């Protein structure tokens, strides 16, 4: 063996560990890229209340599946499902969810949890609405032209608010109520629950909110709960896997694992355990109708 050959062999031997290390480093991103992920279209209330920051790490620990959350209004979340832009929906508009299933975009809907809506308003309550009757409160707000912030974003909260306004009878029994019948103080922001609460806080206005987002809201200013406890304020959440027959490219298996977990005793316990200042924000009720 010549001296040149010996030197070449020695250099190759010295390079081998470095090449092995480089190969190992290159393999790490590849392994990370193979981690399973699902896309969840959900409402702003589940995100802004902080529920997902507690719930999803528990799901990840149980299944090793990452969840990418797109938090929009329920109407927009359902539209995402209809376009095949999500694997699973976690929303709160039962009628719209049932139609989603009836139209073939999901094969079933599972109830998961509930809380309630509350009417938030100035502590001084200039419209005199305080109590337990939401429809009577809305009538007073309209009659007094009190400042009222509506989300106006086709969310589950927006849908609930419109149903409640319809029940006032101000525009005909059971009919959708035109905005001009809601008083001159009625304004739509076209925004999520957090921004709507911020606008109400800065303008001393009334606003309908889910209780979870209200409890987690930090900028309460002079606002307080003025109407609560009316059975018409019940707020049910459901989950649906997007139908693979329509969108075979979606991660249906991963989405089903999420649904199976969130309605299981472990998932339900994780929901019940989420509290702010000792107050439970959501109440599990998987298996209910």
């Amino acid at each position: 063996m010549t001296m040149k050959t010996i030197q070449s062999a020695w250099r190759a031997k010295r390079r081998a560990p470095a090449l092995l290390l480089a190969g190992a480093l290159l393999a790490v991103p590849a392994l990370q890229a193979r981690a399973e992920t699902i896309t969840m279209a959900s409402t702003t209330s589940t995100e802004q209340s902080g529920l997902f920051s507690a719930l999803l790490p528990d799901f990840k620990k149980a299944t090793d599946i990452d969840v990418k959350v797109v938090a929009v209004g329920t109407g927009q979340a359902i539209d995402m499902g209809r376009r095949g832009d999500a694997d699973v929906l976690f929303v709160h508009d039962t009628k719209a969810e049932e139609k989603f299933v009836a139209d073939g975009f999901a094969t079933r809907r599972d109830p998961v949890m509930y809380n309630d809506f509350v009417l938030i308003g100035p502590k001084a309550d200039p419209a005199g609405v305080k109590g337990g009757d939401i429809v009577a409160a809305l009538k007073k707000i309209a009659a007094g032209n009190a400042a009222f912030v509506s989300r106006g974003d086709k969310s589950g909260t927006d849908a609930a608010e419109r149903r409640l306004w319809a029940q006032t009878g101000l525009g005909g029994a059971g009919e959708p109520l035109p905005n001009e019948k809601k008083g001159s103080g009625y304004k739509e922001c076209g925004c999520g629950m957090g921004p709507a609460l911020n606008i109400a806080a800065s303008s001393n206005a009334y606003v309908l909110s889910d209780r979870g987002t209200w409890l987690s809201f930090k900028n309460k200013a002079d606002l307080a709960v003025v109407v609560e406890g009316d059975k018409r304020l019940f707020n049910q959440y459901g989950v649906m896997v997007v139908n693979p027959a329509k969108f075979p490219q979606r991660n249906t298996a991963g989405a089903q694992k999420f649904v199976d977990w969130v309605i299981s005793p472990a998932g339900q316990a994780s929901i019940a355990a989420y509290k702010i200042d000792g107050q439970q924000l959501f109440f599990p009720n998987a298996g209910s109708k």
Side-chain angles (χ1 to χ4, degrees), residues 87 97-110 239-246 252 256 259:
D87 302 304
E97 294 162 35
E98 289 172 346
K99 188 176 189 313
F100 188 81
V101 174
D103 290 344
F105 289 95
T107 58
R108 62 178 288 167
R109 167 194 172 273
D110 285 288
V239 286
M240 300 176 290
V241 175
V242 173
N243 191 348
K246 285 187 176 290
T252 305
Q256 189 61 56
V259 170

Side-chain angles (χ1 to χ4, degrees), residues 7-236:
Q7 289 174 338
S8 296
W10 175 249
R11 283 195 297 269
K13 185 176 181 180
R14 292 182 62 188
R15 284 199 303 268
L19 290 171
L20 288 172
L21 177 60
L25 292 173
L26 287 171
V28 170
L31 289 171
Q32 290 175 338
R34 287 197 293 272
E36 188 173 1
T37 302
I38 61 172
T39 297
M40 177 194 295
S42 189
T43 178
T44 58
S45 60
T46 46
E47 177 76 1
Q48 293 174 358
S49 66
L51 173 66
F52 283 155
S53 64
L55 188 68
L56 297 184
D58 288 347
F59 172 65
K60 167 75 172 178
K61 185 177 180 180
T63 65
D64 202 31
I65 296 175
D66 291 314
V67 181
K68 175 187 175 184
V69 176
V70 181
V72 290
T74 285
Q76 293 170 281
I78 289 176
D79 286 343
M80 284 183 63
R82 288 180 178 275
R83 295 192 303 268
D85 291 335
D87 302 304
V88 63
L89 308 185
F90 195 141
V91 289
H92 65 138
D93 185 347
T94 300
K95 288 185 177 179
E97 294 162 35
E98 289 172 346
K99 188 176 189 313
F100 188 81
V101 174
D103 290 344
F105 289 95
T107 58
R108 62 178 288 167
R109 167 194 172 273
D110 285 288
V112 178
M113 63 187 190
Y114 70 92
N115 63 3
D116 62 343
F117 294 109
V118 288
L119 185 66
I120 306 301
K123 291 177 183 176
D125 190 20
V129 303
K130 190 171 181 62
D133 190 328
I134 185 60
V135 171
L138 293 177
K139 287 181 179 180
K140 289 181 179 180
I141 287 170
N145 295 310
F148 185 97
V149 179
S150 173
R151 285 180 59 175
D153 63 346
K154 297 183 179 180
S155 62
T157 303
D158 183 53
E161 182 207 307
R162 292 181 185 278
R163 287 194 297 271
L164 293 169
W165 276 113
Q167 292 176 46
T168 63
L170 295 174
E175 295 296 322
L177 188 63
N179 288 354
E180 59 267 22
K181 296 284 188 178
K182 301 171 185 175
S184 60
Y186 178 90
K187 298 291 185 295
E188 293 183 353
C189 68
C191 60
M193 196 69 257
L197 283 166
N198 274 319
I199 294 170
S202 64
S203 58
N204 226 28
Y206 294 91
V207 60
L208 186 73
S209 172
D210 68 281
R211 191 183 292 271
T213 305
W214 167 249
L215 288 174
S216 63
F217 183 59
K218 304 300 183 185
N219 181 32
K220 290 183 169 65
D222 195 44
L223 297 180
V225 174
V226 292
V227 178
E228 62 182 330
D230 191 322
K231 64 182 181 180
R232 291 169 290 197
L233 294 171
F234 182 77
N235 182 29
Q236 177 70 50

